Amino acid sequence: MTLDLLREHGTPLARQVFTWKDLVREPISKLDDEAFTRVRLIVGHAVEQAAVRFQHAAVRFGAEHRLLLADIRRVEHHQATLLRWLQPADQSPLESSIAVAQAAVEVGAQMARCEPDPYVAQALRLGLLEDFDHLYRLAALMDRLEGRDANAMLQSYTDIRPGRPTSAQHRAPEDDLRRWYDRYATAPATKLHARIACAIAYHARDHYLDVGPTFADPVARQLYAELASVKEQHVTQCESLLDPAETWLERWLLQEAAEVYLYWGCLSSETNPRVLAVWDRFLAYELEHLRIVRELYEKTEMRDASEVVPLSFTEPLEFAGERAFIREVLAAEVELGAAGTEFVPRDAESRATQSYRAQLERDGSPSETVAAGYRWSPGTELADPRIRDASVLPPLKATGS
């Protein structure tokens, strides 16, 4: 399967328009639709939000292109809106958090498995095992607050079990910085993976910050604050992988290529016909954005854009369960941490990280508290015979008239 980025025709920018009814469509079902339909929507929204943030910042460096940036940015914003509004209307904040964590785990796992650069792959695996544990802590919170099984949302695609403990994920800022890739020597896939991973991390960070204060339970509020802090670390890690020598136009070109790559994967794997039509439409939009920025890049920087982005994509993101790979990474790397730009055993972490972690956890760890005594089993409390049997009322005795 190949996507030729030069021969494929996109939708002209002037025809990339929406109506309010078009933007706000019937949402998917949180139970009837496949979990990966929701995963694709979450990641697509995250990447569109990243595009909007980048294009706002780019105005400071390319003021002469501010009209073009504004035109494309408005379309990107409306794409993000449409994808966000397709999320299930009856999905609770906690269910949304579990869905966000599943998206980070599953898409992060596939990118880590396919990543050609060993160092970047290791960074992605570090984030993967930490997101995996976040999912476990959120499942424990659902059991604690609502007595419900998070697997109803996950649909058995993703395991519910501890990863690298969240309480052990807090690192000093200097230990979240990574060596950046070489813009000239690095494979295009690495550049795209880093951007998609950064978009997912940023989205999860914002989600936890927005949702956390809505809970009344004090442990839930603290847990969300803790998860948001770790996701800030993940944003720092992913951003630091990007070569700082990349020009802003080069980064814009790569951002648009990342969106094309993502939507191609969504289109190739979607099972919901209504959402499939959205991916087809948005892929055509992004192919045109990529063409416009490619021409601008070549005209402005006098370089061949194929030195930055490939002429074609050969393998799309699969959006399939990565249980076997995650279990393999979990068994081999759960005890890894980081010191400076290197990945090290946890007992070799820096004094700065140890001090930072001790300060944060001086009054206790919410991620440990929420999961104390929790171990996932199918059906959670409904499978416990003590609770199940106690819920059955004895038969009524016949009474005389």
Side-chain angles (χ1 to χ4, degrees):
M1 183 181 293
T2 301
L3 179 68
D4 191 318
L5 299 181
L6 293 181
R7 293 186 178 182
E8 293 288 341
H9 297 290
T11 302
L13 192 58
R15 289 172 48 201
Q16 296 182 16
V17 294
F18 301 83
T19 66
W20 300 124
K21 188 175 181 179
D22 185 26
L23 284 173
V24 182
R25 302 176 173 209
E26 179 185 348
I28 66 168
S29 168
K30 68 180 181 182
L31 298 179
D32 295 334
D33 277 297
E34 187 188 38
F36 272 96
T37 291
R38 184 174 53 241
V39 165
R40 294 181 197 96
L41 292 173
I42 290 169
V43 177
H45 174 77
V47 171
E48 288 294 355
Q49 287 287 77
V52 170
R53 283 193 301 269
F54 171 80
Q55 290 164 23
H56 274 298
V59 173
R60 306 166 196 171
F61 306 102
E64 68 273 23
H65 304 301
R66 65 178 185 170
L67 177 58
L68 178 60
L69 283 162
D71 283 342
I72 293 180
R73 187 172 62 240
R74 185 64 54 84
V75 176
E76 309 272 28
H77 169 80
H78 285 151
Q79 289 175 266
T81 302
L82 195 157
L83 296 177
R84 183 68 185 89
W85 260 248
L86 280 171
Q87 288 290 333
D90 59 346
Q91 193 166 269
S92 72
L94 182 50
E95 287 175 327
S96 295
S97 300
I98 288 170
V100 166
Q102 183 182 32
V105 167
E106 293 294 349
V107 179
Q110 186 181 358
M111 292 192 297
R113 179 173 57 80
C114 301
E115 173 52 49
D117 184 302
Y119 181 80
V120 174
Q122 180 70 80
L124 294 176
R125 294 197 301 272
L126 182 79
L128 161 64
L129 292 188
E130 296 184 345
D131 285 321
F132 188 71
D133 194 73
H134 297 173
L135 178 59
Y136 173 72
R137 309 293 159 169
L138 289 166
L141 181 64
M142 175 172 278
D143 184 65
R144 170 193 174 100
L145 295 184
E146 303 174 7
R148 294 197 295 128
D149 185 354
N151 192 49
M153 295 289 295
L154 305 177
Q155 299 178 6
S156 297
Y157 283 111
T158 313
D159 287 338
I160 302 175
R161 55 191 292 193
R164 178 178 296 112
T166 299
S167 60
Q169 295 173 13
H170 308 294
R171 293 177 289 273
E174 59 263 38
D175 293 331
D176 280 318
L177 297 174
R178 305 289 168 249
R179 299 196 305 268
W180 57 76
Y181 59 66
D182 184 331
R183 63 194 280 235
Y184 296 113
T186 297
T190 297
K191 301 176 183 181
L192 304 185
H193 288 162
R195 282 164 170 79
I196 294 172
C198 192
I200 295 172
Y202 211 124
H203 173 69
R205 169 191 175 275
D206 285 355
H207 170 81
Y208 295 145
L209 286 174
D210 289 342
V211 169
T214 68
F215 287 88
D217 183 86
V219 175
R221 294 170 67 86
Q222 290 181 35
L223 176 65
Y224 272 86
E226 184 176 10
L227 297 183
S229 181
V230 175
K231 294 313 296 182
E232 167 60 24
Q233 295 178 208
H234 289 179
V235 175
T236 298
Q237 170 175 265
C238 293
E239 285 183 337
S240 67
L241 291 169
L242 310 185
D243 189 334
E246 290 173 342
T247 67
W248 79 268
L249 272 175
E250 189 173 348
R251 291 195 168 190
W252 192 8
L253 183 63
L254 286 164
Q255 179 64 43
E256 298 298 343
E259 293 173 72
V260 169
Y261 176 61
L262 175 67
Y263 286 141
W264 183 43
C266 293
L267 179 64
S268 301
S269 56
E270 184 56 66
T271 57
N272 181 313
R274 292 190 300 110
V275 181
L276 182 70
V278 172
W279 300 133
D280 187 43
R281 176 183 176 183
F282 283 5
L283 176 59
Y285 284 11
E286 295 303 337
L287 283 167
E288 178 67 4
H289 298 175
L290 180 61
R291 183 195 66 78
I292 292 170
V293 179
R294 178 191 292 272
E295 291 181 357
L296 178 63
Y297 173 82
E298 292 182 337
K299 178 180 178 180
T300 303
E301 301 208 356
M302 305 298 289
R303 289 178 59 197
D304 187 344
S306 63
E307 297 175 7
V308 179
V309 297
L311 297 176
S312 63
F313 294 138
T314 56
E315 294 293 336
L317 283 171
E318 295 176 0
F319 290 97
E322 294 284 349
R323 176 179 284 109
F325 175 74
I326 293 169
R327 289 179 176 178
E328 177 185 326
V329 176
L330 186 63
E333 300 181 8
V334 71
E335 293 299 327
L336 280 184
T341 59
E342 302 307 313
F343 303 102
V344 300
R346 209 187 304 171
D347 58 8
E349 290 177 320
S350 71
R351 289 186 178 181
T353 278
Q354 294 172 13
S355 175
Y356 171 73
R357 187 178 299 151
Q359 167 61 35
L360 279 174
E361 297 177 351
R362 186 177 61 183
D363 297 326
S365 166
S367 58
E368 291 298 315
T369 300
V370 77
Y374 172 73
R375 183 174 182 179
W376 179 81
S377 61
T380 59
E381 82 292 343
L382 295 179
D384 187 329
R386 297 168 301 175
I387 298 175
R388 183 184 64 236
D389 296 344
S391 67
V392 177
L393 296 176
L396 292 174
K397 293 181 179 180
T399 58
S401 56

